[in-house]
Amino acid sequence: MRSFGLEGSQGVTKMASKAFALATLFLAGCVSTPDVATLHQRYMAASNAHNIETIAEMTSDIIVWRLGPYRLEGKSDALLPHETDAVLNTTLEIRDIRIRENVVEAELVERNDALLAVGIDHWRHYVRWVFDEDGKVTRKEPWKESPDDAQVARQLRPLREWIRENHPEAVPDFRDINDVFGRGPALRGKRMREAWIAAGSPGMISPDD
């Protein structure tokens, strides 16, 4: 006697198994690829925690970062400002986030020891991050000029002039990224700020002047 319907039920079972396997692969792919909002949150959390290892993992090898007058190309150069931030105890407050596909734009409010030393509470930046298909930051750039740039430059001027006059050997070579950003230059800058403060912060300008 034929087991009527057995072949049909086996066929249905196989089809169901294949469908389940495909669905599992699809869902696994979705889970393993966080959306851009989640990626950006993780990147900024690592930046505020000065977790260089995580930042490196989330940075493309071919990143291009426009930072002030500098163009940082490649991961090794792009990690240097994060090393600087670790020494300066930098915090970044995120405001007004806008996300469009793989692009994030936001206002960043920067605070750190170097700014406080010259009487600046915060420095606003308007930053764009572009993530690649692997979830890594491949481009960082300003999307709007900061209204604080002129005031920051004005407040920093007395400190910079004092360093040039009293410690010319400590003036960085601004043509060399490695002499501007990174742990070494940041520690040198910290020593110079402490020496300037110990000398009475000559030329200090009040933000209200």
Side-chain angles (χ1 to χ4, degrees), residues 97-183:
I97 297 177
R98 296 180 294 180
I99 300 175
R100 186 181 67 258
E101 296 180 350
N102 65 325
V103 179
V104 179
E105 293 180 344
E107 176 185 352
L108 288 187
V109 181
E110 176 183 5
R111 294 179 174 87
N112 62 43
D113 294 346
L115 295 175
L116 288 174
V118 295
I120 300 171
D121 176 72
H122 63 269
W123 189 359
R124 289 168 291 178
H125 309 280
Y126 299 89
V127 183
R128 177 184 296 122
W129 299 259
V130 180
F131 289 83
D132 65 17
E133 60 185 6
D134 296 319
K136 298 185 177 184
V137 179
T138 190
R139 194 163 79 241
K140 289 176 70 174
E141 59 194 8
W143 58 269
K144 186 171 83 170
E145 290 186 6
S146 171
D148 302 326
D149 286 352
Q151 182 66 23
V152 170
R154 177 173 176 269
Q155 295 291 119
L156 285 170
R157 191 176 302 119
L159 170 60
R160 289 174 172 171
E161 290 177 350
W162 182 85
I163 293 173
R164 288 192 185 95
E165 293 173 4
N166 296 276
H167 298 275
E169 75 286 353
V171 177
D173 180 355
F174 291 104
R175 299 165 298 178
D176 182 357
I177 288 173
N178 290 281
D179 204 37
V180 176
F181 301 111
R183 178 174 172 78

Side-chain angles (χ1 to χ4, degrees), residues 2-12:
R2 290 180 60 189
S3 54
F4 182 77
L6 182 58
E7 293 83 354
S9 65
Q10 287 177 334
V12 171

